[in-house]
Amino acid sequence: MEATRSKAASPHPPELAARRKRAGSQAGRKIRKHWQFYLLVFLPLLYIVIFKYVPMFGVIIAFKEYNVVQGILGSPWAGLKYFKQLFDTPFFWQYFKNTLEISLYGMAIGFPAPIILALALNEIRNGLFKKSVQMITYAPYFISTVVIVSILIVNLSPNVGLLSNIFRSLGMEPIDFMGKAGYFKTIYVLSDVWQFTGYGAIIYIAALSGVNPDLYEAAKVDGASRFQKIVHIDLPSLVPVIVIMLILNLGQIMGLGFEKIYLMQNPLNLNTSEVISTYVYKIGLLGANFSFSAAIGLFNSVINFVLLILVNFIAKKISSNSLW
């Protein structure tokens, strides 16, 4: 009896075909009506497909004895040979540790810096001063990495550097900051904070601009101080953005930038400055060991992917904010 009712209630194949046809025509009309928006979405989507997904085919190099002459498909399979070689390499774990330490150090210092700057700028009432500070803090983002490293090397030089001249004027001996391995991580992180804090604060400033002004008025009537307004109004408004940015940053924690670290390296600080990305470059391109470097890169990407999934899961459990 119930089976007969379910069959009678379910639409016949012609009806299903008609519904699908109507849904397709509606989707077509929607696309034709708003074609400009779909075009804006199509261009970055095309970029992602071409430059992010298509190159994934090259991952199989990590499982092959890659030979340039034979090509990717013609090279013989090596299985997990290069992954075993990776885990047996004594220096790899030191480079892995350096990568993790610099990334976590950068997260601890660099992640809250844009939030603090955005909160401070939001409290400034003088429009000209606020715009000036925002422009000054945002400007370093447009300086190229090569110029940034050149500024660091010149100013931290023990002979002609600004800090060295200050030390001499105070009767102190100059310090070769770039030549001491212990200073490398701090120099890298603090220079990143100087360069990217102003740019990173933009998204938080935009989020603060959407806060309902009535909340500030109500807090003012209740006698709340500026600090109390920040704690009870601004920070709760920023929580969704902070969670999303934290997930994205933790998902890239092993993807430490190559260019700046490589340019800052020298034989004296190599013990703490060698990271996975520079190691892959030296092994893969300079050493022409493409399969081994691909195995290292794949291992690094898998760690980032697992961290992204894990952090997103934790954020979803703790709060209602997550990437998906």
Side-chain angles (χ1 to χ4, degrees):
M1 190 80 172
E2 292 179 0
T4 307
R5 287 179 182 176
S6 62
K7 288 181 180 179
S10 61
H12 297 291
E15 293 180 10
L16 284 174
R19 288 183 184 179
R20 290 171 182 169
K21 187 175 181 181
R22 284 195 298 270
S25 61
Q26 289 175 359
R29 284 196 298 270
K30 187 180 291 186
I31 292 174
R32 287 193 297 270
K33 183 179 180 180
H34 305 288
W35 64 270
Q36 299 94 337
F37 300 105
Y38 286 96
L39 180 62
L40 288 174
V41 173
F42 174 76
L43 293 177
L45 185 62
L46 185 65
Y47 167 82
I48 291 173
V49 171
I50 294 175
F51 294 101
K52 302 295 182 181
Y53 283 93
V54 173
M56 286 184 181
F57 172 74
V59 168
I60 63 174
I61 293 177
F63 304 94
K64 287 199 166 194
E65 294 280 0
Y66 178 68
N67 185 285
V68 178
V69 178
Q70 294 176 320
I72 296 177
L73 297 178
S75 300
W77 288 97
L80 299 176
K81 170 187 173 182
Y82 292 104
F83 291 95
K84 294 176 182 177
Q85 182 179 338
L86 168 64
F87 297 135
D88 292 337
T89 303
F91 294 109
F92 172 76
W93 296 109
Q94 177 63 37
Y95 305 151
F96 181 85
K97 179 185 175 184
N98 291 342
T99 305
L100 195 60
E101 286 181 352
I102 295 176
S103 297
L104 292 176
Y105 189 9
M107 281 283 295
I109 304 297
F111 185 77
I115 301 173
I116 296 171
L117 178 61
L119 292 171
L121 289 174
N122 191 56
E123 292 299 317
I124 296 176
R125 297 293 174 259
N126 189 322
L128 179 61
F129 180 72
K130 180 178 181 179
K131 292 179 180 178
S132 301
V133 172
Q134 193 170 357
M135 182 187 68
I136 292 171
T137 55
Y138 184 55
Y141 176 76
F142 295 99
I143 304 176
S144 70
T145 303
V146 176
V147 176
I148 290 288
V149 175
S150 300
I151 292 173
L152 290 175
I153 292 174
V154 170
N155 283 282
L156 298 178
S157 169
N159 299 320
V160 296
L162 176 63
L163 289 180
S164 298
N165 292 330
I166 294 175
F167 288 158
R168 288 193 186 96
S169 64
L170 296 174
M172 301 168 61
E173 288 293 326
I175 301 174
D176 185 9
F177 289 96
M178 298 298 292
K180 291 187 177 294
Y183 290 121
F184 179 84
K185 295 173 184 177
T186 300
I187 295 171
Y188 178 86
V189 170
L190 293 183
S191 61
D192 259 11
V193 170
W194 170 70
Q195 185 177 9
F196 296 109
T197 296
Y199 175 77
I202 292 176
I203 188 170
Y204 299 108
I205 294 173
L208 288 172
S209 65
V211 178
N212 190 347
D214 295 339
L215 296 175
Y216 295 111
E217 293 296 331
K220 186 176 181 181
V221 171
D222 291 338
S225 63
R226 283 195 172 186
F227 181 75
Q228 289 174 327
K229 291 178 184 178
I230 292 174
V231 172
H232 298 290
I233 298 176
D234 292 339
L235 283 177
S237 302
L238 290 178
V239 166
V241 180
I242 291 174
V243 171
I244 296 299
M245 297 302 296
L246 183 63
I247 293 172
L248 292 174
N249 287 341
L250 286 174
Q252 299 176 354
I253 199 167
M254 297 301 296
L256 202 60
F258 158 77
E259 297 89 354
K260 187 177 177 181
I261 288 185
Y262 184 73
L263 292 171
M264 290 176 64
Q265 281 183 350
N266 60 57
L268 297 176
N269 63 26
L270 204 61
N271 186 41
T272 57
S273 65
E274 189 76 288
V275 295
I276 292 178
S277 57
T278 56
Y279 184 56
V280 168
Y281 169 74
K282 293 172 183 177
I283 291 294
L285 294 181
L286 300 185
N289 195 345
F290 302 107
S291 296
F292 185 51
S293 62
I296 300 173
L298 181 58
F299 172 75
N300 200 34
S301 300
V302 168
I303 292 178
N304 281 334
F305 178 74
V306 172
L307 282 174
L308 180 64
I309 299 296
L310 182 62
V311 173
N312 185 79
F313 175 78
I314 295 173
K316 196 171 184 179
K317 289 293 182 181
I318 296 176
S319 66
S320 57
N321 303 297
S322 61
L323 286 177
W324 61 86

